[in-house]
């Protein structure tokens, strides 16, 4: 069994207006004890995981590139000592303004071989409104530093629907991304929910955080669709609703989530799945560190995945992948009759069959959530 390990670093320089993650701005004095706790949790893993070979690691956040490079190296050294490792992909999330030549070289020497960069936009007005600390020039500088350090796997994130974004500025961001040609790209539609400052402002009719400057839903869908076309025209394979990769450069770690393969989460708020159960660690970094120091489990939530939940995950996560799902296998495995629902969706042009596989219609990806609701009943 191959295992993916996710390591959560919840520290940020600033809190983006649209962010609904359990991350925040914390005193740097917490960094070292937090890394201590991560290393202890790795070393004190459950014995059941010792049978698995770790092939992917993802250090995410937050902004893990805020940590000293020696702390990143220490985490990876501890992981290698605690697990059987056949590491093929080791990803570090990094914000452009935090990347230096020294850090990039140290990350590469420590075994990081993939950088996921939080670009979000190449437009400085959009970046400022979103509360981002970097500007367009920082992205170009960071990309050069990473290439000089030896990184051959770089991923950029963009967000379609940021405040002040227009068709022209979106096209400009796409062109800059394609000029730098990362091996992987993620395009996320802006989400509005009460978990973020911007979301709360929009839902209550306020005007702070440039809430009034958000593009409407039709514009966001248009941005996304133009991104699909531009990336495809330049050789990127669209393999998941929000993700594209040049041939051979799909995110191996994230594919584990969509394929319901086992992964172990380390750190505050990190989630785990062993094929039967899911659990999550305490979200508060201080509570997480305190639990680890006491030698008690930091897990706050644990549940056995029921057959119905597993079926829903097979459909929801499987259909996020552009290659779709083997519907006959799923119906047989879960004793589920889905043909009538699927046929109604097919007639509506929302799904299609590609041979024996059911997939979302490529032209209707922006309404994927509506399809999932109908399919799950």
């Amino acid at each position: 069994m191959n295992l993916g390990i996710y390591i959560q670093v919840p520290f940020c320089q600033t809190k983006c207006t649209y962010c609904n993650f359990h991350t925040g701005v914390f005193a740097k004095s917490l960094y070292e004890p937090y890394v201590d706790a991560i290393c202890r949790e790795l070393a004190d893993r459950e014995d059941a995981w010792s049978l698995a070979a770790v092939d992917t690691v993802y250090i995410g956040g937050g902004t893990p590139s805020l940590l000293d490079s020696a702390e990143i190296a220490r985490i990876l050294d501890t992981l290698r000592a605690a697990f059987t490792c056949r590491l093929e992909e080791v990803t570090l999330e990094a914000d452009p303004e935090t990347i230096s030549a020294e850090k990039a070289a140290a990350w590469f020497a420590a075994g990081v071989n993939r950088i996921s960069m939080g670009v979000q936009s190449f437009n400085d007005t959009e970046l400022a409104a979103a509360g981002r600390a970097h500007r367009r020039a920082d992205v170009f500088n960071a990309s050069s530093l990473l290439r000089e350090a030896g990184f051959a796997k770089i991923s950029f994130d963009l967000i379609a629907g940021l405040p002040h974004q227009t068709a022209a500025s979106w096209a400009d961001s796409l062109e800059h991304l394609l000029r730098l040609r990362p091996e992987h790209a993620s395009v996320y539609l802006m989400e509005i929910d009460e978990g973020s400052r911007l979301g709360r402002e929009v839902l209550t009719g306020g005007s702070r955080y440039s809430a009034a400057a958000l593009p409407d839903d039709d514009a966001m869908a248009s941005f996304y669709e133009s991104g699909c076309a531009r990336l495809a025209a330049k050789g990127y394979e669209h393999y998941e609703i929000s993700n594209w990769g040049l041939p051979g450069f799909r995110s191996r770690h994230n594919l584990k989530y969509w394929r319901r393969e086992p992964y172990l989460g380390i750190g505050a708020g990190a989630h785990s799945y062993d094929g039967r159960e899911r659990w999550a660690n305490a979200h508060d970094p201080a509570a997480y560190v305190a639990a680890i120091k006491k030698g008690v489990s930091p897990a706050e939530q644990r549940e056995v995945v029921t057959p119905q939940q597993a079926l829903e995950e097979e459909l929801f996560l499987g259909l996020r992948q552009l290659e779709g799902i083997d519907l006959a296998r799923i119906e047989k495995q879960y004793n589920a009759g889905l043909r009538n629902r699927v046929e109604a969706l097919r007639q509506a042009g929302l799904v299609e069959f590609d041979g024996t596989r059911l997939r979302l219609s490529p032209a209707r990806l922006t309404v994927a959530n509506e399809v999932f609701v109908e399919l799950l009943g």
Side-chain angles (χ1 to χ4, degrees):
M1 181 179 71
N2 289 330
L3 173 67
I5 292 185
Y6 175 81
I7 297 170
Q8 170 75 349
V9 179
F11 309 129
C12 296
Q13 290 188 113
T14 60
K15 184 77 170 178
C16 300
T17 62
Y18 55 79
C19 182
N20 60 357
F21 296 162
H22 291 283
T23 59
V25 180
F26 295 90
K28 289 187 177 181
S29 59
L30 185 56
Y31 291 9
E32 185 175 354
Y34 185 81
V35 171
D36 290 343
I38 284 178
C39 290
R40 181 167 174 181
E41 188 183 7
L42 282 167
D44 293 343
R45 73 200 186 285
E46 297 180 27
D47 290 340
W49 294 105
S50 64
L51 300 175
V54 178
D55 61 350
T56 68
V57 178
Y58 196 108
I59 306 175
T63 312
S65 54
L66 288 175
L67 297 179
D68 288 342
S69 53
E71 292 174 320
I72 299 294
R74 181 183 166 206
I75 290 170
L76 291 175
D77 286 343
T78 303
L79 187 151
R80 292 189 191 96
F83 292 85
T84 299
C85 291
R86 301 189 186 97
L87 297 178
E88 298 180 2
E89 180 185 277
V90 180
T91 301
L92 176 73
E93 285 188 351
D95 281 356
E97 79 282 1
T98 67
I99 298 173
S100 65
E102 294 75 17
K103 277 189 172 182
W107 295 335
F108 194 76
V112 177
N113 61 12
R114 184 175 182 271
I115 297 294
S116 180
M117 198 188 307
V119 175
Q120 319 311 0
S121 171
F122 283 86
N123 182 283
D124 287 354
T125 298
E126 296 169 16
L127 291 168
R132 301 293 295 178
H134 74 275
R135 297 296 179 262
R136 177 172 61 186
D138 296 317
V139 181
F140 282 89
N141 180 57
S143 297
S144 295
L145 295 175
L146 291 172
R147 295 302 190 195
E148 290 168 5
F151 283 97
K153 297 178 184 179
I154 298 175
S155 180
F156 285 178
D157 289 352
L158 289 182
I159 296 178
L162 287 169
H164 301 291
Q165 198 169 74
T166 64
S169 70
W170 174 250
D172 187 60
S173 283
L174 287 173
E175 287 304 314
H176 285 306
L177 180 149
L178 293 169
R179 188 198 310 179
L180 291 171
R181 201 163 176 80
E183 286 70 28
H184 188 275
S186 300
V187 175
Y188 300 106
L189 284 167
M190 171 65 75
E191 294 184 3
I192 300 301
D193 63 59
E194 62 183 11
S196 70
R197 290 177 294 160
L198 175 60
R200 288 192 295 271
E201 199 69 13
V202 171
L203 294 173
T204 57
S207 59
R208 293 183 300 170
Y209 313 120
S210 297
L214 275 170
D216 61 30
D217 290 344
D218 288 342
M220 291 186 196
S222 176
F223 298 162
Y224 173 86
E225 289 166 355
S226 67
C228 291
R230 292 292 294 128
L231 288 163
K234 294 298 182 179
Y236 288 85
E237 297 172 343
H238 193 184
Y239 69 99
E240 193 270 347
I241 287 178
S242 301
N243 289 276
W244 289 255
L246 292 174
F249 288 98
R250 298 181 180 188
S251 171
R252 295 175 60 89
H253 183 85
N254 287 338
L255 279 168
K256 292 182 185 295
Y257 302 144
W258 304 317
R259 293 173 177 171
R260 302 184 70 247
E261 296 175 3
Y263 54 87
L264 176 62
I266 301 292
H271 290 245
S272 301
Y273 174 62
D274 65 2
R276 191 179 70 89
E277 288 185 291
R278 294 189 186 278
W279 62 95
N281 284 347
H283 284 103
D284 180 68
Y288 165 77
V289 170
I292 295 294
K293 283 184 175 179
K294 292 177 183 177
V296 300
S297 171
E300 287 188 336
Q301 308 166 29
R302 184 181 292 269
E303 67 172 355
V304 175
V305 177
T306 67
Q308 180 61 31
Q309 288 173 319
L311 170 61
E312 293 175 357
E313 290 173 5
E314 289 264 19
L315 296 172
F316 175 76
L317 297 174
L319 285 173
R320 287 192 63 88
Q321 301 172 70
L322 274 288
E323 66 183 18
I325 58 175
D326 183 340
L327 184 63
R329 175 192 67 79
I330 290 175
E331 285 187 311
K332 181 178 180 180
Q333 181 174 341
Y334 296 96
N335 191 28
L338 301 168
R339 295 286 168 165
N340 290 339
R341 294 181 196 173
V342 168
E343 180 58 23
L345 293 169
R346 189 192 67 78
Q347 291 185 11
L350 297 172
V351 298
E352 62 186 31
F353 278 96
D354 181 8
T356 61
R357 301 189 70 81
L358 176 71
R359 67 181 189 181
L360 294 173
S361 297
R364 306 304 296 274
L365 297 179
T366 56
V367 293
N369 286 339
E370 297 173 25
V371 177
F372 299 148
V373 169
E374 290 296 323
L375 190 56
L376 297 175

